[in-house]
Amino acid sequence: MILDCDPGHDDAIAIMLAVADPAIDLLAVTTVAGNVTLENTTRNALRVLDMVGRPDIPVASGRDRPRVRDLSTAAVMHGESGLAGPLPVEPSRPALDAPAIDVIEQILIDADEPVTLVATGPLTNMADVVERLRHLHSRIRELVIMGGAVDLGNWTPAAEFNIWVDPHAADIVFRKARVPGQGSPADGIALTMIGLEVTHRAWLTDEHADLLRSTGRTGQFVAELLDHFVGFHQDRFGWEGGPIHDAVTIAHLIDPTLVAALPMNVQIETESPLCIGRTVADRWSVTGLPANAAVGLDIDRDRFVTLLMERVSSLP
Ligand code: BDR
Ligand code: CA
């Protein structure tokens, strides 16, 4: 698996879940500007891998801004550093010299079997994969993204943050996508969209933070992340917990029975000032357009939380 992300509290936990699962071979972490600047998302990815004792996993930074729009960040939620909560620590190493797209290309060329891509930030790097690595699409098993919503947005009434930051990149990805298990790589990359219908049910609370706090170095670190992240969601939305959006992508790959998904046609709004970044998902097949993604609609929250807590507690 290659995990493309913008850490970010929930991205950080997604990285940890991928590292902790024995069946996942995390080949690289690539970073994109989103929650905070590229410099900070890259530093955070490196830092998280240090924390879990995996400084051997390559990190490469990708695009530092969306395709067309100016970069808007979510520093209000994640802090200027992107990982508000724990005390800042500098990573033990720099990122690779090569840009993310080159690293992804080389991994796809070298891989013995198809590679799964996971994207938990804006889709700017993934649009590059679609456009620039066409010759390697048959080596991509599938792409699982956290992004979008069938119903309401979270960053605007119409749009979810990751898609809203770079709707033009998302448009490229969704136009060249297919439902997993249908068609062939020539038809596009198999795409699963884990949106807010799913991730808003995937929350952890202060109690989970307290349980993790005593499980060791990583547990303490995650607890401090949750202290900030859960607190933000309590204050801003009045929710009991904080949704660990990005970790659901990894959980879905570990256990495909956790998330219920349906094939749908999804188009991205790139023009309307009111609705830009909306994932227009044809839930009831009213357009007659072919489905281009499996879209998550629900999750077994209890099993998700059990899996996440078990795996994170197992880290150093
Ligand atoms: C998404 O936005 C970011 O703030 C989170 O990391 C997640 O990927 C949720 O809308
Ligand atoms: Ca993210």
Side-chain angles (χ1 to χ4, degrees), residues 21 41 95 153 162 167 236 245 270-271 285:
D21 191 79
T41 59
N162 287 338
R236 171 69 181 80
H245 305 276
T270 58
E271 301 285 338
S285 305

Side-chain angles (χ1 to χ4, degrees), residues 243-301:
I244 316 300
H245 305 276
D246 295 338
V248 179
T249 56
I250 310 294
H252 162 69
L253 288 162
I254 295 171
D255 180 351
T257 69
L258 283 178
V259 171
L262 282 178
M264 280 178 222
N265 180 267
V266 181
Q267 298 178 76
I268 310 298
E269 175 58 62
T270 58
E271 301 285 338
S272 150
L274 198 56
C275 295
I276 191 163
R278 179 159 184 76
T279 42
V280 181
D282 187 4
R283 169 71 179 87
W284 303 112
S285 305
V286 295
T287 63
L289 294 169
N292 57 351
V295 177
L297 290 173
D298 200 1
I299 185 170
D300 185 332
R301 187 220 166 211

Side-chain angles (χ1 to χ4, degrees), residues 6-11 34-35 74 77-78 119-122 146-148 154-155 160-162 196 199-200 229 243 245-246:
D6 63 337
H9 293 69
D10 50 333
D11 303 82
N35 280 326
M77 183 187 296
H78 297 274
T120 61
M146 188 284 131
N154 61 353
W155 215 252
E160 180 279 331
F161 177 77
N162 287 338
L196 298 176
T199 66
H200 276 170
F229 197 64
H245 305 276
D246 295 338

Side-chain angles (χ1 to χ4, degrees), residues 37-296:
T37 61
L38 181 68
E39 190 187 353
N40 285 359
T41 59
T42 305
R43 181 187 296 122
N44 293 341
L46 290 160
R47 183 180 171 199
V48 168
L49 289 169
D50 278 349
M51 172 60 63
V52 297
R54 292 302 305 273
D56 56 304
I57 295 177
V59 173
S61 49
R63 294 282 186 179
D64 67 356
R65 68 195 67 185
R67 287 221 157 198
V68 177
R69 309 184 83 190
D70 291 338
L71 176 64
S72 299
T73 69
V76 64
M77 183 187 296
H78 297 274
E80 286 298 331
S81 75
L83 288 182
L87 287 175
V89 175
E90 281 305 309
S92 64
R93 57 176 171 145
L96 298 177
D97 249 349
I101 189 67
D102 292 357
V103 171
I104 295 171
E105 179 176 30
Q106 198 56 51
I107 288 173
L108 293 178
I109 289 170
D110 293 344
D112 297 331
E113 52 180 305
V115 175
T116 296
L117 304 182
V118 175
T120 61
L123 293 173
T124 324
N125 294 338
M126 294 300 105
D128 286 344
V129 169
V130 170
E131 288 191 336
R132 293 172 52 183
L133 303 184
R134 280 205 188 94
H135 55 296
L136 293 169
H137 285 183
S138 63
R139 291 174 179 246
I140 299 171
R141 179 177 286 117
E142 61 177 318
L143 167 61
V144 179
I145 69 159
M146 188 284 131
V150 176
D151 295 325
L152 302 178
N154 61 353
W155 215 252
T156 74
E160 180 279 331
F161 177 77
N162 287 338
I163 307 296
W164 177 82
V165 169
D166 196 344
H168 301 90
D171 185 43
I172 289 167
V173 170
F174 277 84
R175 275 179 196 275
K176 196 66 187 137
R178 66 187 163 94
V179 177
Q182 297 181 10
S184 73
D187 305 317
I189 297 173
L191 176 64
T192 298
M193 166 180 141
I194 307 281
L196 298 176
E197 282 69 32
V198 179
T199 66
H200 276 170
R201 293 175 49 79
W203 37 272
L204 295 183
T205 65
D206 292 331
E207 282 173 30
H208 298 109
D210 289 339
L211 286 169
L212 289 169
R213 215 177 300 278
S214 56
T215 62
R217 175 177 92 211
T218 303
Q220 168 77 25
F221 178 72
V222 175
E224 289 171 8
L225 288 176
L226 291 175
D227 291 343
H228 171 88
F229 197 64
V230 171
F232 174 87
H233 286 84
Q234 288 168 342
D235 295 346
R236 171 69 181 80
F237 300 106
W239 295 347
E240 187 187 341
I244 316 300
H245 305 276
D246 295 338
V248 179
T249 56
I250 310 294
H252 162 69
L253 288 162
I254 295 171
D255 180 351
T257 69
L258 283 178
V259 171
L262 282 178
M264 280 178 222
N265 180 267
V266 181
Q267 298 178 76
I268 310 298
E269 175 58 62
T270 58
E271 301 285 338
S272 150
L274 198 56
C275 295
I276 191 163
R278 179 159 184 76
T279 42
V280 181
D282 187 4
R283 169 71 179 87
W284 303 112
S285 305
V286 295
T287 63
L289 294 169
N292 57 351
V295 177

